[in-house]
Amino acid sequence: MSAPRTLFDKLWDAHLVKAPTPATPGILYIDLHLIHEVTSPQAFAELRARNLTVRCPERTLATLDHSTPTTPFDDLGQPVYASEEAAAQVAELEKNCAQFGIRLNGWSSDHRGIVHVIGPELGATRPGMTIVCGDSHTSTHGAFGALAFGIGTTEVGHVLATQCLLQSKPKTLAIHVDGSLPRGTSAKDLVLHIIGKIGVNGGTGHVIEYRGAAISALTMEQRMTVCNMSIEAGARAGLIAPDQVTYDYLRGRPYAPQGEDWDKAVAEWNALRSDAGASYDREVHIDASQVRPTVTYGTHPGMVVALDAAVPAATSLQDRRALDYMRVEAGKPLTGMAVDVVFVGSCTNSRLSDLRDAADVLRGRKLAERVRMLVVPGSLAIKREAEQEGLDQVFRAAGAEWREPGCSMCIAMNGDLAQPGQLVVSTSNRNFEGRQGPGARTVLASPAVAAASAVAGCITDPQSLLQEQAA
Amino acid sequence: MKPVSHIRSRTAVLAHENIDTDRIIPARFLTTTERAGLGRFAFNDWRYLADGRENPSFELNRDEARGCEILVAGRNFGCGSSREHAPWALLDYGLRAVLSSEIADIFRNNSLKNGLLALVISESEHRYLLAHPGLELAIDVAAQTIELPDGGRFGFQLDAFAKHCLLAGVDQLGFLLAHNDSIEQYERLRGVAA
Ligand code: SF4
């Protein structure tokens, strides 16, 4: 009998074209390569310069998301780009996909959207796969029990040309989340809590496997939120073993196997879990019952605090700089801090359930004066579903902007950005200085906290509003 | 890629921890389809004031930091996004090596693939270099050593393959392409043939 293996070990072993040696890294086969307009042009240029072709166009899937506008189309039905460069970048991807025979979910596609939203939505993301993309939040797809991680543009070129990557074997970190999440907390609160515990470099060099009762209890959308932010702890990837929740989500999706193939696939996926007795390089235990609505107060995603707790005092020069930048006072909670902009969107929190969470808080309410709120669905499909449910009406009636899908203010490279000094409560994943516009200040939060803060005009626990509603 | 075997330069120091890739090059400069010419955006939002003038209080704008090819940075340098524009910008800016006690995975990978020596050194040596900006260091890739002006010397980790690629100036795509037979065989065995 072979030694017990972790889920990561199984995925790694199954994709090794060549095992690592002391002199060379391993060669890892890639099942699905996702590409977008920002990190791919230079890789295609390299292919052309070397007269190479795309080895497996059918294993490559492209979308437009980062530099694309989320404003309505113009009178001619054309997108209105923030710059000529952005338009040229999109045109470049269109040209590259056409030339190399790659499926592009472009402007005319019903499946356009954020790369990490559409992969799962189409059923292109499935258990047991290796998935890469020139984008660090590729870790999202690990929620399906796939080994998924971000790569640089040179590596995008490697995968285009050979469908393989050179990889050294990462270490494994098990994060056991025991107990259950209290009412009124979300997957976003959980993952912010975890990053606060292990730190922004707590996962460096490791693949995280999230395990335990609180993880099993999450929906697929919530699992994606958790895995999405693995990179914010520095981890190479995040993983959750597939189970019935995974299968129920995938069944019937356009790229999911059908009929007998489906049954065969499920039988294989059932083996994708860590064996009893398998050992990890490190293990961490988190008690889910301790999680409270959580936000960031500083300039990296490890600087987190529960909404009802005081911001910790700065212990280093860096921390003091961060507090100064954020104009946050140590010793007081963040609640009550004035908000200028609220952003609900990004591959962390732009799925239907996230929009519902935000709409539940907003229903029948208005945004506080001078608060601007953008709601940006993760994909066109989500946008349409939300509209069928009337969520767009809730947002519009409250005074929020209902946008076309895309990355938008998560990365602020398409013209959607906050002004210097403005405070943004954002459901995205990075609160780095200037991430949402030069000088803009970002507080990361769940959709419910974001929506409540939009209504109150200051950072607010949604429970206070929801209780009011029930009363 | 040009071979990289030795670097001798004074150091500039950016002691901040967790310098993320949005600091190294803000996302709004990523709409380019080129990899050349990004040096002018390196550390943009620290380097320039809102009116476009150089920010005199930014460490790398000081006279003694100009022309330094070795950056000593606070721990967890390069965290955040996978954008290879970060090492492209640093190289174009004139840096050839970044030393820290901890460097984010993807950034480190991207850097080495472009000939930017992103090297992890021990905490005590890191502390020493942070406290002594402007030291003239000699990095020897083959020997995996960094020599101080006083003759002191310390080592760094570098995996054998990355070292080989740096020294020979070969890029890794060639290595992968040479394994085409193995890749085909893998596809046949797994039944994933194109
Ligand atoms: S939504 Fe934000 S984090 Fe996600 S892929 Fe787009 S830019 Fe990256």
Side-chain angles (χ1 to χ4, degrees), chain A residues 65-66 114-116 135 137 228 346-348 406-407 410-411 429 435:
Chain A
D65 52 6
H66 282 65
I114 303 174
V115 63
H116 311 308
D135 192 287
H137 291 97
N228 173 276
S346 89
C347 56
T348 314
C407 296
C410 172
I411 186 162
N429 42 51
R435 168 84 175 184

Side-chain angles (χ1 to χ4, degrees), chain A residues 146-471:
Chain A
L147 179 60
F149 51 93
I151 57 178
T153 297
T154 298
E155 291 177 317
V156 169
H158 293 178
V159 180
L160 288 173
T162 68
Q163 205 56 35
C164 289
L165 264 186
L166 294 168
Q167 283 287 303
S168 56
K169 193 172 182 179
K171 297 189 173 122
T172 51
L173 164 61
I175 298 188
H176 304 269
V177 190
D178 308 311
S180 58
L181 282 173
R183 265 179 66 97
T185 58
S186 68
K188 182 63 162 287
D189 299 311
L190 170 63
V191 70
L192 288 173
H193 178 88
I194 292 174
I195 300 167
K197 284 263 185 267
I198 68 172
V200 270
N201 50 2
T204 303
H206 291 74
V207 168
I208 298 175
E209 183 182 340
Y210 300 95
R211 307 168 53 81
I215 297 296
S216 306
L218 298 176
T219 66
M220 273 329 288
E221 300 201 340
Q222 293 167 329
R223 292 178 190 185
M224 284 188 255
T225 301
V226 172
C227 286
N228 173 276
M229 288 196 70
S230 304
I231 182 70
E232 307 313 333
R236 193 91 68 96
L239 277 176
I240 294 175
D243 59 13
Q244 195 58 41
V245 176
T246 322
Y247 311 151
D248 289 346
Y249 175 98
L250 281 175
R251 192 182 204 115
R253 303 236 165 215
Y255 296 176
Q258 317 282 338
E260 264 177 52
D261 289 342
W262 170 262
D263 298 329
K264 251 175 63 191
V266 170
E268 281 172 27
W269 296 342
N270 276 326
L272 293 172
R273 56 209 51 186
S274 293
D275 298 328
S279 69
Y280 300 86
D281 294 294
R282 270 172 64 209
E283 302 196 37
V284 170
H285 285 266
I286 302 277
D287 177 359
S289 69
Q290 296 299 311
V291 176
R292 287 176 284 161
T294 299
V295 293
T296 58
Y297 64 88
T299 52
H300 68 64
M303 300 178 82
V304 303
V305 66
L307 263 188
D308 56 1
V311 169
T315 53
S316 67
L317 192 66
Q318 268 80 34
D319 287 2
R320 208 158 320 126
R321 273 185 54 99
L323 293 187
D324 286 349
Y325 180 87
M326 290 300 295
R327 294 185 225 153
V328 160
E329 224 183 293
K332 293 201 325 197
L334 275 196
T335 41
M337 187 172 175
V339 170
D340 303 295
V341 181
V342 170
F343 172 64
V344 174
S346 89
C347 56
T348 314
N349 282 126
S350 64
R351 299 180 185 83
L352 193 59
S353 58
D354 300 314
L355 303 184
R356 285 181 186 148
D357 282 356
D360 284 345
V361 176
L362 285 182
R363 197 166 280 112
R365 297 196 165 92
K366 290 248 180 260
L367 305 191
E369 240 175 280
R370 69 173 203 95
V371 170
R372 176 185 182 203
M373 179 171 181
L374 280 82
V375 185
V376 186
S379 70
L380 199 55
I382 293 171
K383 180 169 187 260
R384 289 184 178 148
E385 282 176 277
E387 287 172 352
Q388 257 164 24
E389 289 185 16
L391 302 183
D392 59 321
Q393 297 304 327
V394 176
F395 295 124
R396 285 207 170 96
E401 299 168 36
W402 177 243
R403 295 290 198 120
E404 291 296 316
C407 296
S408 181
M409 211 186 262
C410 172
I411 186 162
M413 60 178 293
N414 73 334
D416 298 347
L417 80 175
Q419 299 306 308
Q422 284 194 319
L423 189 93
V424 190
V425 178
S426 178
T427 67
S428 55
N429 42 51
R430 287 193 174 136
N431 54 338
F432 300 148
E433 273 182 44
R435 168 84 175 184
Q436 301 194 287
R441 302 175 292 149
T442 300
V443 170
L444 300 178
S446 71
V449 170
S453 304
V455 169
C458 58
I459 296 175
T460 298
D461 186 341
Q463 286 313 309
S464 57
L465 289 176
L466 294 171
Q467 270 155 20
E468 201 180 284
Q469 201 164 35

Side-chain angles (χ1 to χ4, degrees), chain B residues 42 49 55 77 94 127 136 149 155 164 193:
Chain B
L49 299 168
N55 175 2
F77 185 80
R127 256 198 313 276
E136 171 126 346
H164 162 75

